[in-house]
Amino acid sequence: MHGISVSSGIAIGYAHLISHTSLDVAHYVLPKSFLDEEIARFDAALAATRSEFASMRSNRPTYAAAEFDAFLELHQMILDDPLLSVAPRELIASEQCNAEWAIKVQTETLVAQFDQFEDAYLRERQTDVKQVAERLLKQMVGQPGHQPPSARHDVETILVAHDLSPADLIQFKPHQYGAFITDVGGATSHTAIVARSLSTPCVVGLHHARQLIREDDLLILDGEQGVLIVNPDKLILAEYKLRQSVWELERKKLKRLRTARANTLDGTEVDLYANIEKPEDIAEVKANGATGIGLFRSEFLFLNRENLPDEEEQFEAYRAVAMGMEDQPVTIRTFDLGGDKQLSGAKRVANNPALGLRAIRFCLAEPQLFRTQMRALLRASHYGNVKILIPMLSGASELDQTLQFIEATKQNLDDEDIPYDRAIKIGGMVEIPAAALALNVFARKLDFLSIGTNDLIQYTLAIDRTDEEVAHLYDPLHPAVLHLLSRIIATSNRLGVPVSVCGEMAGELAYTRLLLGFGLRQFSMFSAQVPTVKQRVLSTSLHEIAALTQKILRSDDPMKIRELLDRLNS
Ligand code: PEP
Ligand code: MG
């Protein structure tokens, strides 16, 4: 099968099927002799969920609105409906599958039916069906079941899912699974970004993998080519084992560059920074020799949790990174929530979340949440070289409002005699074409700029970065994108405002020389990629690439651009 490679490496392992984000369950086939017991497990979970509802009803706080009763009643009705209380039993028997899987399959069938309703209210009731199913599944956790057929190491397990959210992936972090594959998703979705930061091979956009692959199938995932091989023969398996060891050897060799400075052949120094999602990531940052954090996506502190981290918890997290990196720069981006990173329990997801209340827009609309973060950030700045980065700026008034907000927070800390770095640098992300075109608005008032190519490309080409159906149109080499990039870099350099690229383009070897040729001197990427890019910088002469880069910029023929780029990289 062919998909979109989003995180390189070669993995060989056994398939483990998992389901949609909220209904995240395994599938396994059971021997006939276990089926009665499995149905009894399902019945027990059903009974436990019923009594859970009964106790919710009797313990209802007196102040709860009457709607609470109506809601409970609706959920009880859904639970008691034979479509949820009987059909899964039949599925367990007919498919010989585990109860969790039967609940999941039946729920998906029901949700698909609700999707067909013309009436928006009725269609919306699919959320209630999912919520009831989740309640039932949670009860299943307490009903001891059969283990998947063979207990094996996580690294030999390849997770196969229709879709995985960034929040799912971050949860898998401690397991170190062998690889991830999904049916949907684009190369610069946050799911892909997290897979790269875990250094776990990942291919997305495989369309029907989840349907076609069975639990325990032997898989080879080639994260370089975006190829998945199911149940390979011995010869192919041997070939890939060899490729896997060659790949691992290469990576080990590259790590020897860890302490080398990233200078071009003509002696220009280039900063190679890392992107992180969690404080724990700094071990990897150091192991790969990045000399600072160019982007800490702080919103990952929020994902997978019911309650929001308070000021103290955030402060500890930011301070840990600031201190861990000693005096090296630590650029912490304020929450970029919304889009494909929703808070759990988000009340409403907009029709076009990428164009909606996302990032700085969201923060300005939730001043309480923003103030908490800002206080924590400023307090942490006392302990290291912290910089604050504002995502998704689109206009002057938004920028002014944000800067005033920061000033007011500083004032509060002054009033309370709490120390912070008074010279703290505030930067902005250039990831909306409007910001790129009206760069002066931002460059005048900010201390530094960082180009978010993932979004800049998404918004310039009107391509949803999470949607594999349009992934083929996502093109960093589109002349419009190249012009914007070279212009942002040139303008920033002219104005003396430091500029970096922290989108995925910064870590793609194919673009290293091109960006250097545009005048870029700061790159921020997933840690594991730093040694590879460093090797490319070390072998580049700025003098030699200058003419060819300009030629690429002048060309508007996509074929020609690719041809010239190949020459640049050869
Ligand atoms: C970007 O848009 O390029 C970026 C770095 O931010 P994110 O990927 O988190 O949206
Ligand atoms: Mg972005």
Side-chain angles (χ1 to χ4, degrees), residues 6-7 163-173 180 182 184-200 202 204 275-277 281 295-300 303-304 333-342 353-354 358-359 391-392 429 431 452-456 458-459 463-468 474 502-504 526:
V6 297
S7 182
D163 192 8
L164 288 171
S165 72
D168 291 327
L169 275 203
I170 213 96
Q171 257 181 334
F172 296 145
K173 200 164 195 158
F180 304 118
T182 65
V184 301
T188 59
S189 65
H190 284 97
T191 302
I193 288 168
V194 178
R196 277 191 283 269
S197 88
L198 299 181
S199 297
T200 304
C202 177
V204 301
N275 295 351
I276 63 166
E277 280 88 40
D281 297 342
L295 173 65
F296 176 1
R297 290 181 162 98
S298 66
E299 62 278 4
F300 278 85
L303 302 181
N304 291 319
R333 179 173 73 182
T334 58
F335 301 129
D336 182 358
L337 288 162
D340 61 346
K341 290 170 295 192
Q342 298 290 337
R358 192 191 148 184
M392 227 189 144
M429 292 202 57
E431 46 186 352
T453 47
N454 306 337
D455 279 317
L456 186 63
Q458 154 165 276
Y459 296 128
I463 301 203
D464 180 346
R465 58 195 269 200
T466 65
D467 185 352
E468 81 288 353
Y474 192 96
C502 63
E504 296 310 292
F526 61 105

Side-chain angles (χ1 to χ4, degrees), residues 305-483:
R305 2 191 334 163
E306 297 291 329
N307 60 334
L308 307 182
D310 61 12
E311 182 181 322
E312 235 21 64
E313 189 183 338
Q314 288 189 49
F315 165 65
E316 294 295 345
Y318 306 144
R319 184 175 62 167
V321 179
M323 290 178 65
M325 292 303 292
E326 292 155 43
D327 53 356
Q328 291 180 321
V330 172
T331 315
I332 307 179
R333 179 173 73 182
T334 58
F335 301 129
D336 182 358
L337 288 162
D340 61 346
K341 290 170 295 192
Q342 298 290 337
L343 280 180
S344 55
K347 286 190 238 47
R348 168 182 169 270
V349 176
N351 288 342
N352 273 313
L355 302 180
L357 206 55
R358 192 191 148 184
I360 188 62
R361 303 169 177 184
F362 179 85
C363 284
L364 290 174
E366 299 278 347
Q368 192 100 21
L369 175 144
F370 197 30
R371 188 167 302 113
T372 305
Q373 175 171 46
M374 201 48 78
R375 281 178 63 93
L377 282 173
L378 287 167
R379 285 174 57 198
S381 71
H382 182 61
Y383 299 89
N385 184 1
V386 174
K387 301 172 186 203
I388 295 177
L389 179 61
I390 312 294
M392 227 189 144
L393 287 164
S394 64
S397 65
E398 198 177 41
L399 173 62
D400 290 342
Q401 212 184 328
T402 308
L403 293 175
Q404 278 160 17
F405 197 97
I406 297 174
E407 280 312 306
T409 316
K410 284 182 177 174
Q411 188 62 53
N412 285 343
L413 293 179
D414 283 338
D415 294 346
E416 295 168 43
D417 261 341
I418 298 177
Y420 60 89
D421 174 9
R422 293 180 167 277
I424 188 164
K425 302 255 189 294
I426 312 293
M429 292 202 57
V430 187
E431 46 186 352
I432 296 183
L437 292 168
L439 198 68
N440 279 348
V441 172
F442 303 92
R444 260 191 283 127
K445 295 185 180 167
L446 289 165
D447 299 309
F448 66 97
L449 298 169
S450 190
I451 310 174
T453 47
N454 306 337
D455 279 317
L456 186 63
I457 299 170
Q458 154 165 276
Y459 296 128
T460 304
L461 304 181
I463 301 203
D464 180 346
R465 58 195 269 200
T466 65
D467 185 352
E468 81 288 353
E469 306 268 359
V470 289
H472 60 291
L473 299 173
Y474 192 96
D475 181 12
L477 292 178
H478 190 296
V481 174
L482 297 184
H483 279 283

